[in-house]
Amino acid sequence: RHAVCIFYLVLRALDTIEDDMTISLDVKVPMLQEFHSYLYKPEWKYMESKEKDRQVLEDFPTISMEFRNLSKVYQDVISDICHKMGVGMAEFLEKKVDSQHEWDEYCHYVAGLVGIGLSRLFSASELEEPIVGQDTELANSMGLFLQKTNIIRDYLEDQLEGREFWPREVWGRYAKKLSDLAKPENIDMAVQCLNELITNALHHVPDVITYLSRLKNQSVFNFCAIPQVMAIATLAACYNNKQVFRGIVKIRKGQAVTLMMDATNIQAVKAIMYQYVEEIYQKIPSTDPSSNKTQQVIASIRAMSLPGSTITSRHHYSPIYLSCAMLLAALSWQYLSTISKATEEYVQAGEN
């Protein structure tokens, strides 16, 4: 728990530097590349940030102290991932995401490495088998699936903030500029581009199912599975949906609570994946340029999600205390979502 918490705070600090557009590149690039070394400098902090999360930089000595109090096996994982992520972020500050390969590369640096780091922490804790931390390809897919879903969903918000993460190789087939997809006269081409990117993201789902099937600890399983089922539900809501280019597409609160409550074992997760890819399948337009590829990837997900499929897993129990805890978490989340609604538009402007 402590290792995961500190891992998050360290990466939150790193990400805050990347996001801060007031820091000049000649200052930002070396900071990102060297950030992992600050974990071992008790006095290091940064007081010049204008970002909303600047507290993690201003109070970094507290975070780094707790980091140094962790077991060395945890320190080594966090420091290594922080180093690789900082170098990758610095690289993409000075270039745009053009090819689909670069899209995968960018998502690896900002999310795939998180999946790899967490997996190594799970194994280091001995809550999970060594293979979980060793199989970096599957762990990377866990991060890529979440990151690509966020990038796809956040098209309009990123456009308003001047950020572009959709790969040119894909959108260039549908428009001269990425911003053109938001124009009403281009909506049909925009939706086709959207469907192609969703199809790309769906290719990670078989890896996600295989990864989750290896987990044996209930808390680790819930921690990993809930974001993944939220992501597949979000993609189903976005698929062939013009609203992605007009506003924000979100899954309903009740739907989110149900997913949180249900995603507690591998068979339930397979059923959820099956349900949402079927929803996408029913919406595939016959005229869509990606329709054949979409049908093919859905067929591969179906094969893994059907009862009695070849992926085997350890049995997961859902004792009553777990159900109560999940219900409490869900209700708390719903309450916080409700009271924050008034400030939602303000907050979204600052979120990636």
Side-chain angles (χ1 to χ4, degrees):
R1 182 183 61 196
H2 290 170
V4 171
C5 174
I6 296 304
F7 187 36
Y8 169 77
L9 290 173
V10 168
L11 297 188
R12 179 70 267 168
L14 181 67
D15 198 45
T16 301
I17 291 173
E18 185 205 23
D19 286 345
D20 195 331
M21 304 305 288
T22 68
I23 306 174
S24 62
L25 281 184
D26 61 332
V27 174
K28 185 185 288 191
V29 169
M31 277 181 73
L32 291 172
Q33 293 171 334
E34 298 298 319
F35 196 83
H36 65 290
S37 69
Y38 305 151
L39 292 167
Y40 296 97
K41 296 178 180 177
E43 305 304 319
W44 188 89
K45 57 186 174 182
Y46 185 70
M47 306 299 292
E48 310 302 319
S49 178
K50 303 296 188 289
E51 282 291 295
K52 62 182 176 66
D53 292 324
R54 61 186 177 273
Q55 184 182 351
V56 289
L57 294 171
E58 294 172 355
D59 201 19
F60 197 75
T62 303
I63 296 170
S64 67
M65 179 182 67
E66 292 298 337
F67 165 83
R68 293 187 300 276
N69 286 336
L70 294 173
S71 300
K72 186 177 184 301
V73 67
Y74 295 143
Q75 289 185 39
D76 290 346
V77 171
I78 294 170
S79 177
D80 180 51
I81 296 297
C82 184
H83 185 196
K84 290 173 179 173
M85 187 177 290
V87 169
M89 285 176 167
E91 178 185 335
F92 274 92
L93 281 177
E94 303 184 90
K95 72 175 184 181
K96 288 198 171 184
V97 179
D98 284 331
S99 67
Q100 292 185 66
H101 173 74
E102 285 175 334
W103 198 37
D104 281 358
E105 191 179 23
Y106 172 76
C107 291
H108 163 73
Y109 284 132
V110 300
L113 282 171
V114 180
I116 291 168
L118 284 169
S119 300
R120 287 168 62 186
L121 292 178
F122 298 152
S123 293
S125 70
E126 299 185 356
L127 292 172
E128 298 297 345
E129 300 292 341
I131 186 64
V132 172
Q134 292 165 356
D135 196 335
T136 55
E137 189 174 336
L138 291 190
N140 189 57
S141 284
M142 292 283 285
L144 262 61
F145 185 58
L146 300 183
Q147 186 67 18
K148 287 182 178 181
T149 298
N150 289 340
I151 287 173
I152 290 166
R153 179 200 61 198
D154 292 343
Y155 166 84
L156 194 61
E157 182 181 328
D158 285 337
Q159 281 293 302
L160 295 173
E161 291 294 311
R163 298 186 294 257
E164 294 192 352
F165 298 113
W166 284 25
R168 180 190 293 270
E169 181 184 340
V170 175
W171 65 255
R173 292 195 283 269
Y174 301 94
K176 290 183 178 179
K177 294 187 297 183
L178 183 56
S179 57
D180 289 344
L181 295 178
K183 296 177 180 177
E185 63 268 25
N186 298 329
I187 192 63
D188 291 339
M189 296 296 276
V191 169
Q192 289 178 6
C193 180
L194 169 71
N195 291 348
E196 182 173 345
L197 289 180
I198 290 175
T199 301
N200 176 298
L202 288 173
H203 280 90
H204 298 294
V205 173
D207 278 357
V208 168
I209 292 172
T210 303
Y211 180 97
L212 293 174
S213 73
R214 288 177 173 168
L215 302 179
K216 63 179 183 179
N217 179 276
Q218 186 70 62
S219 295
V220 172
F221 186 89
N222 295 346
F223 181 82
C224 294
I226 290 172
Q228 301 294 333
V229 296
M230 296 284 193
I232 193 73
T234 299
L235 289 184
C238 289
Y239 185 81
N240 210 49
N241 188 349
K242 298 175 182 179
Q243 189 60 28
V244 171
F245 303 95
R246 298 169 178 165
I248 298 169
V249 175
K250 287 187 177 180
I251 58 176
R252 301 184 310 277
K253 289 185 176 67
Q255 187 181 2
V257 171
T258 299
L259 290 170
M260 290 172 69
M261 295 292 291
D262 289 349
T264 58
N265 63 79
I266 189 62
Q267 292 305 328
V269 168
K270 286 182 180 181
I272 292 166
M273 294 290 188
Y274 188 93
Q275 171 194 337
Y276 284 111
V277 295
E278 283 301 305
E279 192 176 305
I280 292 171
Y281 184 83
Q282 296 302 323
K283 295 194 286 188
I284 299 174
S286 58
T287 55
D288 191 90
S290 304
S291 60
N292 287 340
K293 288 183 178 178
T294 312
Q295 290 168 359
Q296 287 170 11
V297 69
I298 287 177
S300 67
I301 297 169
R302 278 175 175 161
M304 295 186 73
S305 303
L306 286 169
S309 57
T310 54
I311 293 290
T312 57
S313 68
R314 297 171 183 266
H315 186 69
H316 291 277
Y317 296 94
S318 297
I320 190 67
Y321 73 84
L322 171 67
S323 299
C324 292
M326 293 291 288
L327 179 59
L328 181 60
L331 292 174
S332 301
W333 175 84
Q334 191 170 28
Y335 171 73
L336 290 170
S337 297
T338 302
I339 64 171
S340 67
K341 192 173 181 181
T343 58
E344 193 171 51
E345 291 181 7
Y346 175 79
V347 173
Q348 282 164 1
E351 288 181 345
N352 187 338

